[in-house]
């Protein structure tokens, strides 16, 4: 029985999405293409400029949101003790796939 | 200042002489082929061996005239000489002309006179490794460093980095829209634009002017405005405003929506802060957008909740209530009139908003 439960949790682990990590890019801009599913963050002199990721719906779109204090609209980035990122508030794409989701502790929560 | 002594009778009998300040004065001479030593004698300087004579040739070069060298002044109109106390000469190039100079440095003003360089052009010293260094107005260029300096002039030019593309302008005041077009970006696409300078950064709109005069290369950083901040999911956009309106409203941090009620088109600005003196601190403001806007003018505005003054005094011309989506907005009959008529192509939601804010302030001004 115990072995069976272990097997189930192992199979689940194979299909569950691993949480997304953070990659910092030195400078005020993000790369044109994101190589991984991580959240990319442009940081210059300790100041956060923007965060970007490939759209989690799989449409292939490159998303970028601003983190600068001086800019509107803007988002807040927080990173938990495990190094997993959260964005506040939610991300809502105005056209195309119109994805609307929260990024919390590296995981996508669809709205 | 220099005097042109070129009349038929005096030709050859005068030369013009200046020090390193290049303020020329006429000096009369007895001979059409004086030597350097004789020129020093005409200038009445002593001891002569401590002075150097330079001739400023009409082509622009400046050359030394040695003490026993003869200058032929036949056919020359008002030959110009620079006479200065010096024990050596410093060589440099000015717009590819070879010049000798009797001082360790030369002022920017003297460079302009010698090179006949108009004030619209800037002066630069060529540098091998780093980028060429500008010679600021009022400064001077040291000539005693190793090597022969090369100075050139060119029309003033300002660089701007637009999202990695460097564009050049011949004037320092630049419209953001023009910069985007010049760099190959579509200004109508909708951008979050951040102007980054050495002093900091700020968000700018597409119709703002930026000043490129401050030192360092400014940068316009672009991010597509395609993602909504999830904080305002209820904001409706049932019809589009002008790009300048949408940019301006968003840049001001306003929460706004556009919708059609019946056959009328409304722009509603939420949570607009009011000046002190009203019974409430904020209100929603509705502006009717006629279908032929921006040719047709914007007129009046509407408030919900309805406004009243803290002191109970009535506010004139606000007695009519307009139902917008079932809510009773208070109509403020404020019209542009003959003093500030609607200017199609110039006026828009943003300029109308300035009138709205002025009208709201006027009622509670002490």
């Amino acid at each position: 029985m115990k072995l069976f439960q272990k097997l189930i949790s192992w199979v689940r682990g194979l299909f569950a999405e691993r949480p997304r990590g953070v990659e910092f890019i030195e400078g005020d801009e993000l790369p044109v293409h994101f190589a991984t599913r991580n959240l990319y963050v442009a940081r210059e002199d300790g100041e956060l400029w923007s965060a970007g990721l490939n759209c989690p719906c799989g449409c292939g779109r490159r998303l970028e949101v601003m983190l600068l204090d001086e800019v509107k609209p803007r988002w807040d980035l927080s990173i938990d003790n495990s190094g997993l990122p959260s964005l506040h508030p939610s991300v809502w794409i105005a056209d195309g796939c119109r994805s609307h989701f929260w990024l919390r502790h590296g995981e996508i929560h669809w709205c | 200042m220099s005097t042109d002594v070129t009349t038929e009778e005096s030709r050859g009998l005068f030369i013009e002489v200046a020090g390193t300040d290049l303020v020329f004065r006429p000096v009369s001479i007895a001979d059409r082929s004086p030597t350097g030593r004789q020129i020093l004698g005409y200038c009445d300087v002593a001891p002569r061996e401590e002075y150097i004579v330079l001739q400023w040739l009409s082509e622009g070069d400046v050359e030394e005239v040695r003490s026993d060298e003869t200058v032929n002044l036949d056919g020359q109109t008002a030959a110009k000489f620079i006479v200065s106390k010096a024990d050596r000469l410093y060589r440099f190039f000015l717009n590819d002309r070879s010049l000798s100079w009797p001082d360790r440095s030369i002022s920017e003003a003297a460079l302009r006179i010698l090179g006949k360089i108009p004030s619209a052009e800037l002066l630069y010293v060529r540098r091998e490794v780093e980028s060429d260094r500008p010679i600021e107005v009022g400064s001077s260029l040291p000539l005693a460093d190793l090597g022969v300096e090369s100075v050139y002039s060119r029309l003033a030019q300002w660089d701007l980095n637009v999202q990695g593309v460097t564009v050049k302008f011949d004037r320092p005041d630049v419209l953001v829209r023009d910069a985007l077009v010049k760099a190959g970006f579509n200004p109508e696409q909708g951008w979050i634009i951040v102007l980054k300078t050495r002093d900091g950064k700020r968000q700018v709109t597409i119709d703002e002017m930026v000043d490129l005069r401050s030192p360092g290369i400014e940068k316009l950083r672009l991010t597509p405005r395609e993602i909504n901040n999830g904080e305002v999911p209820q904001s409706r956009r049932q019809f589009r405003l002008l790009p300048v309106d949408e940019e301006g409203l968003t840049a001001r941090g306003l929460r706004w929506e556009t919708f059609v009620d019946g056959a009328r088109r409304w722009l509603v600005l939420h949570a607009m802060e009011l000046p002190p003196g009203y019974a409430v601190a904020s209100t929603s403001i509705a502006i009717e957008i006629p279908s032929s806007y921006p040719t047709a003018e914007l007129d009046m505005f509407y408030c919900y909740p309805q406004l009243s003054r803290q002191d109970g005094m009535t506010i004139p011309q606000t007695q009519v209530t307009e139902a917008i989506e079932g809510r009773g907005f208070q109509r403020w009959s404020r019209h542009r009139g003959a003093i500030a008529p609607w200017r199609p192509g110039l006026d828009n939601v943003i300029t109308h908003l300035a009138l709205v804010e002025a009208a709201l302030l006027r009622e509670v001004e002490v």
Side-chain angles (χ1 to χ4, degrees):
Chain A
M1 190 62 189
K2 219 170 190 178
L3 185 72
F4 183 64
Q5 275 175 344
K6 265 191 179 168
L7 192 67
I8 283 185
S9 92
W10 177 72
V11 171
R12 267 203 190 130
L14 277 186
F15 291 99
E17 281 203 344
R18 276 174 298 108
R20 291 158 198 263
V22 178
E23 289 185 35
F24 283 100
I25 306 290
E26 206 47 49
D28 65 15
E29 280 179 43
L30 290 172
V32 178
H33 299 288
F34 301 135
T36 71
R37 46 200 289 291
N38 288 337
L39 182 74
Y40 289 75
V41 175
R43 177 173 61 184
E44 190 177 63
D45 301 328
E47 189 163 36
L48 302 180
W49 275 77
S50 65
L53 75 167
N54 289 321
C55 183
C57 85
C59 69
R61 187 154 161 179
R62 174 190 185 276
L63 306 181
E64 182 177 3
V65 299
M66 298 301 291
L67 304 175
L68 276 184
D69 281 343
E70 293 87 345
V71 172
K72 280 176 179 144
R74 66 171 298 280
W75 282 257
D76 281 312
L77 170 73
S78 57
I79 295 170
D80 65 19
N81 292 336
S82 315
L84 299 176
S86 301
L87 281 177
H88 182 93
S90 64
V91 175
W92 192 20
I93 299 149
D95 55 359
C97 67
R98 302 185 83 85
S99 287
H100 189 187
F101 61 88
W102 289 84
L103 178 68
R104 291 195 188 110
H105 302 288
E107 288 176 357
I108 302 295
H109 297 264
W110 294 96
C111 294
Chain B
M1 283 311 293
S2 73
T3 316
D4 241 39
V5 240
T6 56
T7 56
E8 201 53 43
E9 310 85 72
S10 64
R11 177 175 289 184
L13 299 178
F14 288 88
I15 56 172
E16 290 192 51
V17 176
T20 53
D21 57 0
L22 299 182
V23 178
F24 286 90
R25 60 192 165 87
V27 169
S28 62
I29 53 171
D31 183 359
R32 283 165 198 266
S33 52
T35 62
R37 194 193 324 275
Q38 285 171 320
I39 289 172
L40 287 172
Y42 296 134
C43 295
D44 204 17
V45 293
R48 287 185 199 177
E49 54 272 19
E50 289 182 14
Y51 280 80
I52 286 179
V53 178
L54 296 162
Q55 185 176 13
W56 181 13
L57 299 165
S58 52
E59 312 87 77
D61 301 53
V62 174
E63 288 176 357
E64 184 183 10
V65 181
R66 290 187 305 278
S67 58
D68 55 351
E69 190 179 347
T70 306
V71 185
N72 185 358
L73 297 178
D74 275 346
Q76 284 198 35
T77 56
K80 285 189 163 72
F81 294 90
I82 299 161
V83 171
S84 176
K85 204 170 183 175
D87 62 356
R88 72 190 67 175
L89 288 170
Y90 299 89
R91 282 186 57 223
F92 66 99
F93 286 92
L94 178 57
N95 282 340
D96 297 324
R97 290 273 169 207
S98 168
L99 282 83
S100 295
W101 190 249
D103 201 353
R104 300 171 60 82
S105 68
I106 181 166
S107 71
E108 174 258 353
L111 286 168
R112 284 189 187 276
I113 296 171
L114 290 174
K116 298 186 173 66
I117 295 161
S119 59
E121 294 184 13
L122 295 180
L123 292 169
Y124 295 87
V125 197
R126 260 184 245 284
R127 285 283 182 265
E128 290 282 317
V129 191
E130 352 145 51
S131 57
D132 295 350
R133 195 167 56 83
I135 303 172
E136 306 293 341
V137 172
S139 71
S140 52
L141 171 72
L143 299 172
D145 299 341
L146 208 62
V148 177
E149 288 74 11
S150 177
V151 177
Y152 65 94
S153 65
R154 64 150 197 245
L155 272 175
Q157 179 176 289
W158 285 270
D159 289 354
L160 177 63
N161 174 345
V162 182
Q163 193 68 13
V165 181
T166 302
V167 283
K168 297 177 184 305
F169 294 91
D170 56 9
R171 61 207 152 75
D173 294 306
V174 172
L175 192 64
V176 171
R177 176 187 300 275
D178 294 343
L180 261 62
V181 169
K182 211 166 173 182
F185 294 94
N186 176 6
E188 309 304 335
Q189 188 183 319
W191 301 98
I192 299 169
I193 308 167
V194 179
L195 172 67
K196 189 182 174 193
T197 65
R198 211 169 62 168
D199 302 328
K201 54 198 148 346
R202 66 185 171 90
Q203 189 168 10
V204 294
T205 67
I206 196 86
D207 289 302
E208 223 167 291
M209 295 290 278
V210 295
D211 182 357
L212 306 180
R213 280 184 198 87
S214 55
I217 294 180
E218 289 79 2
K219 175 176 183 178
L220 286 178
R221 186 195 179 283
L222 309 179
T223 307
R225 185 189 289 283
E226 60 191 4
I227 304 176
N228 291 329
N229 183 311
E231 261 171 353
V232 286
Q234 284 85 33
S235 294
R236 287 172 292 173
R237 304 278 192 268
Q238 289 188 0
F239 61 91
R240 299 297 300 266
L241 299 168
L242 302 177
V244 55
D245 295 335
E246 298 187 354
E247 288 278 332
L249 292 172
T250 309
R252 283 160 168 240
L254 298 177
R255 194 154 72 78
W256 56 275
E257 53 188 335
T258 58
F259 56 86
V260 183
D261 182 32
R264 297 170 77 179
R265 306 197 308 165
W266 295 99
L267 162 68
V268 176
L269 311 165
H270 294 290
M272 294 289 287
E273 278 181 35
L274 294 167
Y278 289 103
V280 291
S282 69
T283 186
S284 290
I285 290 175
I287 297 169
E288 183 169 12
I289 310 290
S291 53
S292 48
Y293 169 78
T295 313
E297 69 174 304
L298 303 177
D299 188 30
M300 307 195 281
F301 60 97
Y302 304 76
C303 296
Y304 179 87
Q306 305 213 350
L307 303 187
S308 58
R309 284 173 48 153
Q310 267 173 353
D311 60 12
M313 301 265 285
T314 54
I315 306 171
Q317 268 78 53
T318 57
Q319 281 68 43
V320 176
T321 295
E322 185 79 46
I324 304 174
E325 292 197 318
R327 284 180 294 173
F329 277 70
Q330 172 190 40
R331 189 180 79 185
W332 284 58
S333 297
R334 301 293 183 270
H335 310 286
R336 298 181 152 264
I339 300 159
W342 181 261
R343 302 160 299 170
L346 288 172
D347 279 312
N348 51 41
V349 166
I350 304 300
T351 64
H352 190 67
L353 207 50
L355 297 184
V356 170
E357 284 167 351
L360 288 169
L361 188 60
R362 197 176 305 129
E363 293 307 325
V364 290
E365 253 174 350
V366 187

